Every structure is written in C-alpha cells, then in structure tokens.
Amino acid sequence: MITDLALTGLLDTARTAHRGVGAFNVVLLEHAEAIVTGAERAGLPVILQISENCVRYHGGLAPITTATQAIARAADVDVLVHLDHIEDPDLVAAGIDLGVDSVMYDGSHLDFAANVAATRALAVRCHAAGVAIEAELGEVGGKDGVHAPGVRTDPTDAAAFVADTGVDALAVAVGTSHAMQTREASVDRDLVERLRDAVPVPLVLHGSSGLSDDELRGAVRAGMTKINISTHLNGLFTRALRTVLDERPDLVDPRKYVSAGREAISAETARLLSLLAGRK
C-alpha cells in the first residue's frame, strides 16, 4: 500500500520516537513477497531494497523493480521501494523514472570533495522528482575487504557532508561490515550518539546482519534509525531450502521448496521489525 508517507517522513517519525525501521534487500521476487508478509504480520512499515548487484542479476532495473512495486502497493502496511548502493547515476535516473520512493547513491569510493559534488547533483535531481536520497560517507566494510578495524565515520565530516549535499539520510561506518554470516559484530554506540547529535538527518546502519538482537537494540537506542539487513535473511532462506531438498531429493517443482525459504524470511522479518520498533 503506497501512501503519502515518504522515506523522510517514515524515518523522521521513527527517529523522534527512538525506533528503528527495517530495510531488507530483495534478491528474488519471493524475497519481496516474504518481507511484505512479515511486515503485515507485525503490523509495521518496511523498506524493500533493490541493489545495483540485484539489478545486474536480473538483467535490468525495470523487471524486478516494477514487480516489487506491485507487491508494495498491494500491502496492508506502508511499504517503500528503495534503490540500494547505486553507483551509476544513470541508474538513479532510471529509478526516478520508474517512481521508486528513494535511492541510496553510493559515492563512497570517491574522495570527499568528489563524493559531495556527485551526491549534491543527484540530490537536486531526486528532490525535484519527489524522491528521497540516502548517501554514504566513507565505506562500510565487507564489499572489497575495506573498513579496517578502528576505521569510523567522523561526526564533523558527517555534518559537513550532509550540509553540503542536502541528503535525507546518511549511512555511516560505526563497526558493522557487509555480508557477515555470523552475528558477532558490535556497534560503537558512543560514536553513534555523537553522530546522532551532529547530523540533522536519520542515520543508516549498513551491514546489520552481523549484529545480535542486543546489538541491534543498542544501535537503535544510541541513534541509528534505518537498519539494513540482507545476508542474515538470505542465510535463513538458503538453509530452509536445503533442509527441504535434503529431506525430499525427489522434488523438482521449485514452488514446493522455495516456499519454505519464503516462510523463513517472512517469520524473521516480522520478528526483526518488532524488535527494531522496541516491542521486544
């Protein structure tokens, strides 16, 4: 169900209430179906994310995005469709044309000045179309072996970056790393609090799959608002499929085993959304 609740409104409301909003990546169509079903079970809003890697896998932006948007529109809760880690400005423009709710432009591979210039230009373009924009200052780890221990986002740099670019949300490096398959990372909560006080827009936590429930709660309490989770759900999906196929090696109809993965994601989505909202 699409309402007038844009990304900025959703995140600003959550930030004021010291709650987190779950943002989960769509890889297959079943991911979008499962995540929305989980959000409906929890009775909470959710953000469906489509990454540039996902776009390449599907051979283009439109097929997976329009299908995801259709699932979002049919939902009984607020569901936003967001493009995640987009490095190609042309892909941002294509997303705007398709009517996505928000985009995350990733200029973190650029130096500070170049990142500011590129992000500012895209922010102007997004805002003219009524689309919110998230950006990243520095690189969160796990993509190319970056983010050495101890590397963190500086609050002064973060405040300057937001002021110079006009972005609506900022992804920061506070101790997490992308693609973690174990939940053993920890968040620098003192730094999160300093970033929260310095930066006037909601903070985004990438690489949240590596955090335990207690670490997720602590990150939200300290000031993180948008919580990105992907690898954790993919692991549950894969393990559920593997269990069914191990038990039934005769199966050839994908619906009979993929549905197990879809249910695993749905159940965990409902649980995580409730946790991030402070219900448990």
Side-chain angles (χ1 to χ4, degrees), residues 237-258:
F237 181 89
T238 301
R239 287 190 291 274
L241 265 67
R242 191 171 284 131
T243 296
V244 174
L245 290 172
D246 285 345
E247 293 174 350
R248 293 282 311 279
D250 59 307
L251 287 178
V252 295
D253 184 344
R255 291 169 297 185
K256 295 186 182 298
Y257 51 87
V258 172

Side-chain angles (χ1 to χ4, degrees), residues 141-142 177-182 207 209 231:
S177 181
H178 290 101
M180 285 190 67
Q181 296 187 39
T182 57
S209 289
T231 302

Side-chain angles (χ1 to χ4, degrees), residues 96-122:
I96 291 171
D97 290 342
L98 285 174
V100 299
D101 297 291
S102 57
V103 301
M104 185 265 182
Y105 171 65
D106 186 354
S108 63
H109 55 287
L110 304 172
D111 64 37
F112 187 88
N115 192 359
V116 166
T119 303
R120 181 171 55 228
L122 288 174

Side-chain angles (χ1 to χ4, degrees), residues 75-258:
D76 293 331
V77 294
D78 289 302
V79 181
L80 302 183
V81 178
H82 172 86
L83 299 187
D84 183 44
H85 278 291
I86 305 300
E87 297 185 8
D88 182 355
D90 290 338
L91 201 54
V92 173
I96 291 171
D97 290 342
L98 285 174
V100 299
D101 297 291
S102 57
V103 301
M104 185 265 182
Y105 171 65
D106 186 354
S108 63
H109 55 287
L110 304 172
D111 64 37
F112 187 88
N115 192 359
V116 166
T119 303
R120 181 171 55 228
L122 288 174
V124 170
R125 189 167 187 174
C126 286
H127 290 158
V131 173
I133 182 169
E134 170 192 335
E136 182 173 304
L137 177 59
E139 280 192 277
V140 176
K143 292 289 186 181
D144 298 300
V146 297
H147 196 43
V151 175
R152 301 289 187 268
T153 299
D154 178 79
T156 301
D157 289 344
F161 184 84
V162 171
D164 289 346
T165 59
V167 295
D168 303 293
L170 184 68
V172 292
V174 292
T176 56
S177 181
H178 290 101
M180 285 190 67
Q181 296 187 39
T182 57
R183 303 178 73 194
E184 56 188 21
S186 60
V187 168
D188 186 337
R189 299 182 196 182
D190 290 340
L191 175 57
V192 173
E193 290 176 356
R194 289 192 288 123
L195 286 163
R196 176 200 64 201
D197 293 341
V199 176
V201 299
L203 300 175
V204 183
L205 188 62
H206 286 231
S208 304
S209 289
L211 298 178
S212 66
D213 286 1
D214 284 344
E215 284 290 332
L216 287 170
R217 290 189 192 96
V220 171
R221 290 192 193 107
M224 302 304 303
T225 301
K226 179 171 174 278
I227 310 298
N228 290 14
I229 297 176
S230 179
T231 302
H232 174 58
L233 295 182
N234 288 337
L236 293 172
F237 181 89
T238 301
R239 287 190 291 274
L241 265 67
R242 191 171 284 131
T243 296
V244 174
L245 290 172
D246 285 345
E247 293 174 350
R248 293 282 311 279
D250 59 307
L251 287 178
V252 295
D253 184 344
R255 291 169 297 185
K256 295 186 182 298
Y257 51 87
V258 172

